[in-house]
Amino acid sequence: KKLAAQKAQVTGDIPPPRFGPPSHGFKDKAVLFGGAVSIAGNKIFYSGKFVITNETYLFDFTLMKWKKLNFKQ
């Protein structure tokens, strides 16, 4: 049997592309924290300039949905 990859259809507060963020999973959820985000935002190309972010997102594998978490300082 041949395996094939396909792009997952996800909804919600989809985070912009980033590199270097730690992520941790537990059961059917995953937490994505921080990382470096291109100043080009959601654009696919890399601008060569980036900012470090402390954004936190929760992904639900059952619902295939992202949620941005906001914390009060």
Side-chain angles (χ1 to χ4, degrees):
K1 188 172 182 178
K2 189 175 182 180
L3 297 176
Q6 63 184 18
K7 186 176 181 179
Q9 297 298 314
V10 298
T11 61
D13 306 319
I14 300 170
R18 62 193 63 218
F19 65 91
S23 61
H24 303 281
F26 182 74
K27 295 189 179 182
D28 63 344
K29 306 276 193 296
V31 175
L32 174 73
F33 174 74
V37 179
S38 170
I39 62 170
N42 283 326
K43 304 260 190 285
I44 299 301
F45 66 90
Y46 175 63
S47 69
K49 297 180 182 177
F50 59 90
V51 294
I52 304 299
T53 179
N54 64 353
E55 296 172 327
T56 304
Y57 290 86
L58 180 68
F59 186 73
D60 185 312
F61 286 99
T62 303
L63 300 174
M64 298 300 285
K65 186 173 183 178
W66 284 102
K67 179 177 182 180
K68 185 174 182 181
L69 304 179
N70 297 304
F71 298 99
K72 293 182 179 181
Q73 294 183 340

PDB file of all heavy atoms in Angstrom, residues 15-43:
ATOM      1  N   PRO A  15      -1.880  30.112  13.689  1.00  0.00           N
ATOM      2  CA  PRO A  15      -0.691  30.938  13.904  1.00  0.00           C
ATOM      3  C   PRO A  15       0.100  31.143  12.613  1.00  0.00           C
ATOM      4  O   PRO A  15       0.093  30.271  11.739  1.00  0.00           O
ATOM      5  CB  PRO A  15       0.127  30.125  14.909  1.00  0.00           C
ATOM      6  CG  PRO A  15      -0.360  28.734  14.801  1.00  0.00           C
ATOM      7  CD  PRO A  15      -1.779  28.799  14.328  1.00  0.00           C
ATOM      8  N   PRO A  16       0.757  32.287  12.490  1.00  0.00           N
ATOM      9  CA  PRO A  16       1.603  32.507  11.316  1.00  0.00           C
ATOM     10  C   PRO A  16       2.808  31.562  11.344  1.00  0.00           C
ATOM     11  O   PRO A  16       3.185  31.074  12.414  1.00  0.00           O
ATOM     12  CB  PRO A  16       2.041  33.967  11.442  1.00  0.00           C
ATOM     13  CG  PRO A  16       1.874  34.310  12.873  1.00  0.00           C
ATOM     14  CD  PRO A  16       0.778  33.437  13.402  1.00  0.00           C
ATOM     15  N   PRO A  17       3.411  31.301  10.186  1.00  0.00           N
ATOM     16  CA  PRO A  17       4.591  30.438  10.147  1.00  0.00           C
ATOM     17  C   PRO A  17       5.691  30.983  11.068  1.00  0.00           C
ATOM     18  O   PRO A  17       5.857  32.190  11.202  1.00  0.00           O
ATOM     19  CB  PRO A  17       5.038  30.506   8.683  1.00  0.00           C
ATOM     20  CG  PRO A  17       3.834  30.943   7.930  1.00  0.00           C
ATOM     21  CD  PRO A  17       3.064  31.821   8.863  1.00  0.00           C
ATOM     22  N   ARG A  18       6.436  30.081  11.685  1.00  0.00           N
ATOM     23  CA  ARG A  18       7.491  30.481  12.622  1.00  0.00           C
ATOM     24  C   ARG A  18       8.538  29.396  12.702  1.00  0.00           C
ATOM     25  O   ARG A  18       8.329  28.288  12.242  1.00  0.00           O
ATOM     26  CB  ARG A  18       6.913  30.754  14.003  1.00  0.00           C
ATOM     27  CG  ARG A  18       6.255  29.535  14.615  1.00  0.00           C
ATOM     28  CD  ARG A  18       5.409  29.861  15.832  1.00  0.00           C
ATOM     29  NE  ARG A  18       4.322  30.723  15.454  1.00  0.00           N
ATOM     30  CZ  ARG A  18       3.860  31.728  16.200  1.00  0.00           C
ATOM     31  NH1 ARG A  18       4.343  31.951  17.382  1.00  0.00           N
ATOM     32  NH2 ARG A  18       2.888  32.500  15.777  1.00  0.00           N
ATOM     33  N   PHE A  19       9.667  29.731  13.306  1.00  0.00           N
ATOM     34  CA  PHE A  19      10.677  28.706  13.546  1.00  0.00           C
ATOM     35  C   PHE A  19      11.188  28.825  14.962  1.00  0.00           C
ATOM     36  O   PHE A  19      11.125  29.883  15.574  1.00  0.00           O
ATOM     37  CB  PHE A  19      11.820  28.756  12.518  1.00  0.00           C
ATOM     38  CG  PHE A  19      12.656  30.005  12.557  1.00  0.00           C
ATOM     39  CD1 PHE A  19      13.785  30.087  13.345  1.00  0.00           C
ATOM     40  CD2 PHE A  19      12.303  31.102  11.780  1.00  0.00           C
ATOM     41  CE1 PHE A  19      14.557  31.235  13.368  1.00  0.00           C
ATOM     42  CE2 PHE A  19      13.074  32.254  11.790  1.00  0.00           C
ATOM     43  CZ  PHE A  19      14.203  32.316  12.582  1.00  0.00           C
ATOM     44  N   GLY A  20      11.643  27.691  15.497  1.00  0.00           N
ATOM     45  CA  GLY A  20      12.237  27.645  16.820  1.00  0.00           C
ATOM     46  C   GLY A  20      11.294  27.588  18.001  1.00  0.00           C
ATOM     47  O   GLY A  20      11.751  27.687  19.136  1.00  0.00           O
ATOM     48  N   PRO A  21       9.967  27.409  17.793  1.00  0.00           N
ATOM     49  CA  PRO A  21       9.118  27.409  18.981  1.00  0.00           C
ATOM     50  C   PRO A  21       9.087  26.039  19.647  1.00  0.00           C
ATOM     51  O   PRO A  21       9.099  25.016  18.965  1.00  0.00           O
ATOM     52  CB  PRO A  21       7.736  27.730  18.421  1.00  0.00           C
ATOM     53  CG  PRO A  21       7.742  27.092  17.085  1.00  0.00           C
ATOM     54  CD  PRO A  21       9.169  27.292  16.579  1.00  0.00           C
ATOM     55  N   PRO A  22       9.045  26.008  20.981  1.00  0.00           N
ATOM     56  CA  PRO A  22       8.810  24.725  21.629  1.00  0.00           C
ATOM     57  C   PRO A  22       7.332  24.365  21.518  1.00  0.00           C
ATOM     58  O   PRO A  22       6.470  25.252  21.478  1.00  0.00           O
ATOM     59  CB  PRO A  22       9.197  24.991  23.086  1.00  0.00           C
ATOM     60  CG  PRO A  22       9.048  26.456  23.268  1.00  0.00           C
ATOM     61  CD  PRO A  22       9.298  27.073  21.917  1.00  0.00           C
ATOM     62  N   SER A  23       7.033  23.114  21.400  1.00  0.00           N
ATOM     63  CA  SER A  23       5.641  22.664  21.396  1.00  0.00           C
ATOM     64  C   SER A  23       5.558  21.410  22.259  1.00  0.00           C
ATOM     65  O   SER A  23       6.501  20.616  22.320  1.00  0.00           O
ATOM     66  CB  SER A  23       5.153  22.393  19.978  1.00  0.00           C
ATOM     67  OG  SER A  23       5.920  21.389  19.379  1.00  0.00           O
ATOM     68  N   HIS A  24       4.446  21.258  22.930  1.00  0.00           N
ATOM     69  CA  HIS A  24       4.260  20.132  23.840  1.00  0.00           C
ATOM     70  C   HIS A  24       2.855  19.578  23.640  1.00  0.00           C
ATOM     71  O   HIS A  24       1.901  20.334  23.510  1.00  0.00           O
ATOM     72  CB  HIS A  24       4.452  20.566  25.297  1.00  0.00           C
ATOM     73  CG  HIS A  24       5.779  21.187  25.537  1.00  0.00           C
ATOM     74  ND1 HIS A  24       6.924  20.439  25.683  1.00  0.00           N
ATOM     75  CD2 HIS A  24       6.162  22.481  25.610  1.00  0.00           C
ATOM     76  CE1 HIS A  24       7.957  21.251  25.853  1.00  0.00           C
ATOM     77  NE2 HIS A  24       7.518  22.494  25.811  1.00  0.00           N
ATOM     78  N   GLY A  25       2.748  18.274  23.581  1.00  0.00           N
ATOM     79  CA  GLY A  25       1.452  17.635  23.398  1.00  0.00           C
ATOM     80  C   GLY A  25       1.036  16.845  24.621  1.00  0.00           C
ATOM     81  O   GLY A  25       1.870  16.341  25.379  1.00  0.00           O
ATOM     82  N   PHE A  26      -0.266  16.760  24.806  1.00  0.00           N
ATOM     83  CA  PHE A  26      -0.839  15.940  25.869  1.00  0.00           C
ATOM     84  C   PHE A  26      -2.196  15.455  25.401  1.00  0.00           C
ATOM     85  O   PHE A  26      -3.074  16.270  25.111  1.00  0.00           O
ATOM     86  CB  PHE A  26      -0.965  16.733  27.169  1.00  0.00           C
ATOM     87  CG  PHE A  26      -1.508  15.915  28.308  1.00  0.00           C
ATOM     88  CD1 PHE A  26      -0.711  14.962  28.933  1.00  0.00           C
ATOM     89  CD2 PHE A  26      -2.800  16.086  28.731  1.00  0.00           C
ATOM     90  CE1 PHE A  26      -1.209  14.202  29.967  1.00  0.00           C
ATOM     91  CE2 PHE A  26      -3.310  15.333  29.778  1.00  0.00           C
ATOM     92  CZ  PHE A  26      -2.510  14.384  30.402  1.00  0.00           C
ATOM     93  N   LYS A  27      -2.341  14.152  25.281  1.00  0.00           N
ATOM     94  CA  LYS A  27      -3.573  13.525  24.791  1.00  0.00           C
ATOM     95  C   LYS A  27      -3.929  14.089  23.421  1.00  0.00           C
ATOM     96  O   LYS A  27      -3.173  13.924  22.483  1.00  0.00           O
ATOM     97  CB  LYS A  27      -4.690  13.653  25.808  1.00  0.00           C
ATOM     98  CG  LYS A  27      -4.400  12.895  27.093  1.00  0.00           C
ATOM     99  CD  LYS A  27      -5.583  12.838  28.003  1.00  0.00           C
ATOM    100  CE  LYS A  27      -5.217  12.032  29.250  1.00  0.00           C
ATOM    101  NZ  LYS A  27      -6.326  11.904  30.144  1.00  0.00           N
ATOM    102  N   ASP A  28      -5.068  14.785  23.290  1.00  0.00           N
ATOM    103  CA  ASP A  28      -5.505  15.275  21.976  1.00  0.00           C
ATOM    104  C   ASP A  28      -5.257  16.775  21.781  1.00  0.00           C
ATOM    105  O   ASP A  28      -5.852  17.398  20.913  1.00  0.00           O
ATOM    106  CB  ASP A  28      -6.985  14.962  21.753  1.00  0.00           C
ATOM    107  CG  ASP A  28      -7.897  15.657  22.750  1.00  0.00           C
ATOM    108  OD1 ASP A  28      -7.398  16.137  23.797  1.00  0.00           O
ATOM    109  OD2 ASP A  28      -9.114  15.728  22.505  1.00  0.00           O
ATOM    110  N   LYS A  29      -4.349  17.358  22.571  1.00  0.00           N
ATOM    111  CA  LYS A  29      -4.053  18.789  22.488  1.00  0.00           C
ATOM    112  C   LYS A  29      -2.540  19.009  22.347  1.00  0.00           C
ATOM    113  O   LYS A  29      -1.745  18.175  22.744  1.00  0.00           O
ATOM    114  CB  LYS A  29      -4.513  19.514  23.761  1.00  0.00           C
ATOM    115  CG  LYS A  29      -5.950  19.309  24.154  1.00  0.00           C
ATOM    116  CD  LYS A  29      -6.859  20.227  23.427  1.00  0.00           C
ATOM    117  CE  LYS A  29      -8.259  20.295  23.991  1.00  0.00           C
ATOM    118  NZ  LYS A  29      -9.054  19.093  23.953  1.00  0.00           N
ATOM    119  N   ALA A  30      -2.181  20.138  21.785  1.00  0.00           N
ATOM    120  CA  ALA A  30      -0.777  20.548  21.716  1.00  0.00           C
ATOM    121  C   ALA A  30      -0.702  22.044  21.984  1.00  0.00           C
ATOM    122  O   ALA A  30      -1.580  22.804  21.574  1.00  0.00           O
ATOM    123  CB  ALA A  30      -0.184  20.238  20.348  1.00  0.00           C
ATOM    124  N   VAL A  31       0.348  22.465  22.679  1.00  0.00           N
ATOM    125  CA  VAL A  31       0.577  23.880  22.971  1.00  0.00           C
ATOM    126  C   VAL A  31       1.806  24.339  22.191  1.00  0.00           C
ATOM    127  O   VAL A  31       2.835  23.675  22.203  1.00  0.00           O
ATOM    128  CB  VAL A  31       0.802  24.108  24.483  1.00  0.00           C
ATOM    129  CG1 VAL A  31       1.151  25.563  24.763  1.00  0.00           C
ATOM    130  CG2 VAL A  31      -0.425  23.693  25.269  1.00  0.00           C
ATOM    131  N   LEU A  32       1.673  25.461  21.519  1.00  0.00           N
ATOM    132  CA  LEU A  32       2.763  26.072  20.762  1.00  0.00           C
ATOM    133  C   LEU A  32       3.068  27.408  21.432  1.00  0.00           C
ATOM    134  O   LEU A  32       2.161  28.238  21.593  1.00  0.00           O
ATOM    135  CB  LEU A  32       2.332  26.298  19.311  1.00  0.00           C
ATOM    136  CG  LEU A  32       3.292  27.055  18.408  1.00  0.00           C
ATOM    137  CD1 LEU A  32       4.468  26.167  18.062  1.00  0.00           C
ATOM    138  CD2 LEU A  32       2.578  27.495  17.148  1.00  0.00           C
ATOM    139  N   PHE A  33       4.318  27.605  21.837  1.00  0.00           N
ATOM    140  CA  PHE A  33       4.679  28.844  22.519  1.00  0.00           C
ATOM    141  C   PHE A  33       5.846  29.519  21.820  1.00  0.00           C
ATOM    142  O   PHE A  33       6.881  28.902  21.571  1.00  0.00           O
ATOM    143  CB  PHE A  33       5.061  28.586  23.979  1.00  0.00           C
ATOM    144  CG  PHE A  33       5.580  29.805  24.673  1.00  0.00           C
ATOM    145  CD1 PHE A  33       4.722  30.811  25.051  1.00  0.00           C
ATOM    146  CD2 PHE A  33       6.934  29.967  24.894  1.00  0.00           C
ATOM    147  CE1 PHE A  33       5.202  31.965  25.667  1.00  0.00           C
ATOM    148  CE2 PHE A  33       7.426  31.106  25.507  1.00  0.00           C
ATOM    149  CZ  PHE A  33       6.555  32.106  25.896  1.00  0.00           C
ATOM    150  N   GLY A  34       5.693  30.809  21.545  1.00  0.00           N
ATOM    151  CA  GLY A  34       6.796  31.641  21.073  1.00  0.00           C
ATOM    152  C   GLY A  34       7.324  31.285  19.704  1.00  0.00           C
ATOM    153  O   GLY A  34       6.604  30.860  18.813  1.00  0.00           O
ATOM    154  N   GLY A  35       8.629  31.496  19.548  1.00  0.00           N
ATOM    155  CA  GLY A  35       9.288  31.279  18.275  1.00  0.00           C
ATOM    156  C   GLY A  35       9.607  32.593  17.592  1.00  0.00           C
ATOM    157  O   GLY A  35       9.340  33.676  18.112  1.00  0.00           O
ATOM    158  N   ALA A  36      10.192  32.489  16.426  1.00  0.00           N
ATOM    159  CA  ALA A  36      10.527  33.661  15.621  1.00  0.00           C
ATOM    160  C   ALA A  36       9.584  33.723  14.436  1.00  0.00           C
ATOM    161  O   ALA A  36       9.388  32.737  13.722  1.00  0.00           O
ATOM    162  CB  ALA A  36      11.973  33.576  15.146  1.00  0.00           C
ATOM    163  N   VAL A  37       8.975  34.893  14.234  1.00  0.00           N
ATOM    164  CA  VAL A  37       7.994  35.099  13.181  1.00  0.00           C
ATOM    165  C   VAL A  37       8.549  36.112  12.187  1.00  0.00           C
ATOM    166  O   VAL A  37       9.032  37.174  12.575  1.00  0.00           O
ATOM    167  CB  VAL A  37       6.662  35.619  13.774  1.00  0.00           C
ATOM    168  CG1 VAL A  37       5.635  35.853  12.692  1.00  0.00           C
ATOM    169  CG2 VAL A  37       6.134  34.657  14.823  1.00  0.00           C
ATOM    170  N   SER A  38       8.451  35.801  10.904  1.00  0.00           N
ATOM    171  CA  SER A  38       8.895  36.726   9.866  1.00  0.00           C
ATOM    172  C   SER A  38       8.054  37.996   9.926  1.00  0.00           C
ATOM    173  O   SER A  38       6.848  37.937  10.165  1.00  0.00           O
ATOM    174  CB  SER A  38       8.741  36.073   8.488  1.00  0.00           C
ATOM    175  OG  SER A  38       8.939  37.025   7.465  1.00  0.00           O
ATOM    176  N   ILE A  39       8.680  39.145   9.710  1.00  0.00           N
ATOM    177  CA  ILE A  39       7.898  40.389   9.706  1.00  0.00           C
ATOM    178  C   ILE A  39       7.002  40.464   8.482  1.00  0.00           C
ATOM    179  O   ILE A  39       6.169  41.349   8.382  1.00  0.00           O
ATOM    180  CB  ILE A  39       8.785  41.650   9.823  1.00  0.00           C
ATOM    181  CG1 ILE A  39       9.737  41.750   8.640  1.00  0.00           C
ATOM    182  CG2 ILE A  39       9.512  41.684  11.143  1.00  0.00           C
ATOM    183  CD1 ILE A  39      10.457  43.072   8.566  1.00  0.00           C
ATOM    184  N   ALA A  40       7.129  39.481   7.580  1.00  0.00           N
ATOM    185  CA  ALA A  40       6.229  39.411   6.429  1.00  0.00           C
ATOM    186  C   ALA A  40       4.863  38.873   6.847  1.00  0.00           C
ATOM    187  O   ALA A  40       3.953  38.823   6.042  1.00  0.00           O
ATOM    188  CB  ALA A  40       6.837  38.532   5.336  1.00  0.00           C
ATOM    189  N   GLY A  41       4.720  38.452   8.114  1.00  0.00           N
ATOM    190  CA  GLY A  41       3.442  37.961   8.623  1.00  0.00           C
ATOM    191  C   GLY A  41       3.086  36.590   8.078  1.00  0.00           C
ATOM    192  O   GLY A  41       3.891  35.683   8.129  1.00  0.00           O
ATOM    193  N   ASN A  42       1.869  36.454   7.553  1.00  0.00           N
ATOM    194  CA  ASN A  42       1.384  35.159   7.067  1.00  0.00           C
ATOM    195  C   ASN A  42       1.893  34.798   5.677  1.00  0.00           C
ATOM    196  O   ASN A  42       1.518  33.776   5.132  1.00  0.00           O
ATOM    197  CB  ASN A  42      -0.146  35.122   7.069  1.00  0.00           C
ATOM    198  CG  ASN A  42      -0.686  34.925   8.470  1.00  0.00           C
ATOM    199  OD1 ASN A  42      -0.095  34.245   9.281  1.00  0.00           O
ATOM    200  ND2 ASN A  42      -1.815  35.537   8.747  1.00  0.00           N
ATOM    201  N   LYS A  43       2.707  35.631   5.086  1.00  0.00           N
ATOM    202  CA  LYS A  43       3.252  35.334   3.760  1.00  0.00           C
ATOM    203  C   LYS A  43       4.144  34.093   3.853  1.00  0.00           C
ATOM    204  O   LYS A  43       4.782  33.844   4.851  1.00  0.00           O
ATOM    205  CB  LYS A  43       4.071  36.510   3.244  1.00  0.00           C
ATOM    206  CG  LYS A  43       3.301  37.823   3.194  1.00  0.00           C
ATOM    207  CD  LYS A  43       2.831  38.097   1.792  1.00  0.00           C
ATOM    208  CE  LYS A  43       2.280  39.489   1.629  1.00  0.00           C
ATOM    209  NZ  LYS A  43       0.987  39.724   2.166  1.00  0.00           N
TER     210      LYS A  43
END
